[in-house]
Amino acid sequence: MNHADREKTCLPLLETAPGFASVPADGLRYLAAGCHQRTATRGQVLCERGQTLDGFHLLLRGRIKLSLLSAEGAERVLDIVLPGRTFGESAAFLGRPCALHAEALMDSRLMVVDLKRVRSAIERWPEVAHLMLGLVAERSQRLIADLEACCLHSAAQRVAAMLLRDAQSDEDAPDRATLELPAAKTVVASSLNLSAETFSRELHGLARRGLVEVERRRIRIPSLEQLRRLGGLDGAEMDAQNALAVDADRMQAPRSFTPAYP
């Protein structure tokens, strides 16, 4: 596929991708001409630890698990990438081997943004530099929040904070909310540095208290305020969590993201 065909195919996807709207039209066309799409089936590995990357990925559809793997096979899930979010930027820009293992949790569709095109675009359009700084900074903040939760928060607080972070408030009753777990409970538990058993125990403990209603992956929260109080999360912590969620939505992954397939 030549540059013109790539631009025609990928430009509509970049135009609707979160964060890319700040890039001028000429810059988007230039980036799109260097992009290509790829698909991944459930369980397919997209990137292995030690692999060199020549670009970063933008997820269009599906779910991608980012994790660390030990030599013994132990796994620690760092993130579950949702549509509209990117991954692989830091390793690509630094020219270093990728430190993460990226695997599709379901059949997925992605777009690869060419690094050489991005570097060249940064020299011509400052908005591209601002975009890339925002993507990398947002991921850094997520890792800091994850480290804080693992080191300073109890299992119950971690579960409560995750529910509060991902919950969507009811328009008619803002204190009520719902969410759907982005992956299997074992994967979500690992992302919180918990065992699957501990995660299930804490979740069902919240259900026994009437603070959540669990139906497979779908969770209803009758009162966000009561859940905040139980989680022992003070105002400052919740402000930080909410700010991180807002930044993530603005830069990468609003829940309503739908690629405009040509």
Side-chain angles (χ1 to χ4, degrees):
M1 184 180 291
N2 58 36
H3 291 324
D5 290 337
R6 288 183 175 182
E7 178 184 327
K8 182 179 179 181
T9 302
C10 297
L11 180 59
L13 303 176
L14 283 183
E15 288 176 334
T16 58
F20 285 80
S22 62
V23 178
D26 288 346
L28 280 180
R29 285 195 291 269
Y30 181 81
L31 290 175
C35 295
H36 68 272
Q37 296 182 58
R38 63 179 297 189
T39 58
T41 57
R42 181 180 178 181
Q44 181 176 338
V45 175
L46 294 161
C47 176
E48 294 181 321
R49 183 182 179 91
Q51 182 177 336
T52 301
L53 305 178
D54 57 6
F56 63 90
H57 288 80
L58 168 65
L59 182 62
L60 304 174
R61 183 181 65 234
R63 298 284 189 277
I64 304 297
K65 175 180 66 175
L66 303 182
S67 61
L68 295 173
L69 298 178
S70 71
E72 294 75 24
E75 180 182 49
R76 165 70 162 91
V77 178
L78 295 181
D79 200 2
I80 300 169
V81 181
L82 304 178
R85 290 184 54 202
T86 61
F87 63 94
E89 312 95 325
S90 297
F93 265 92
L94 292 173
R96 296 178 182 174
C98 185
L100 301 177
H101 177 89
E103 179 181 330
L105 292 172
M106 60 176 64
D107 291 349
S108 302
R109 186 180 183 189
L110 309 96
M111 184 162 59
V112 181
V113 184
D114 181 70
L115 177 62
K116 291 182 180 179
R117 285 258 162 178
V118 174
R119 289 187 183 279
S120 179
I122 286 175
E123 297 178 358
R124 300 170 61 180
W125 296 282
E127 294 88 350
V128 178
H130 183 269
L131 168 67
M132 297 312 303
L133 283 171
L135 295 178
V136 174
E138 188 272 335
R139 184 166 299 282
S140 174
Q141 288 299 303
R142 288 179 68 91
L143 289 174
I144 292 173
D146 181 57
L147 180 63
E148 178 186 15
C150 291
C151 295
L152 302 177
H153 292 172
S154 67
Q157 286 177 313
R158 279 177 255 172
V159 173
M162 182 274 294
L163 296 176
L164 292 167
R165 181 194 67 202
D166 294 346
Q168 292 181 309
S169 295
D170 189 322
E171 292 183 0
D172 297 326
D175 194 42
R176 292 202 308 260
T178 59
L179 71 146
E180 187 164 338
L181 296 179
K185 289 182 180 179
T186 53
V187 177
V188 176
S190 180
S191 72
L192 299 174
N193 200 27
L194 300 173
S195 68
E197 293 77 12
T198 299
F199 177 74
S200 292
R201 183 172 62 249
E202 296 295 342
L203 193 59
H204 286 97
L206 294 176
R208 285 193 300 272
R209 293 177 174 89
L211 295 170
V212 299
E213 300 170 3
V214 182
E215 185 180 347
R216 296 187 178 182
R217 289 189 184 179
R218 188 170 182 80
I219 299 173
R220 298 181 181 85
I221 304 173
S223 172
L224 292 169
E225 184 58 35
Q226 289 185 22
L227 184 59
R228 289 190 189 99
R229 288 201 296 265
L230 179 78
L233 300 170
D234 61 27
E237 286 178 303
M238 284 313 304
D239 287 345
Q241 289 278 352
N242 291 335
L244 182 58
V246 168
D247 289 342
D249 283 353
R250 182 170 58 247
M251 289 304 305
Q252 293 193 326
R255 298 178 179 95
S256 60
F257 171 68
T258 302
Y261 295 117

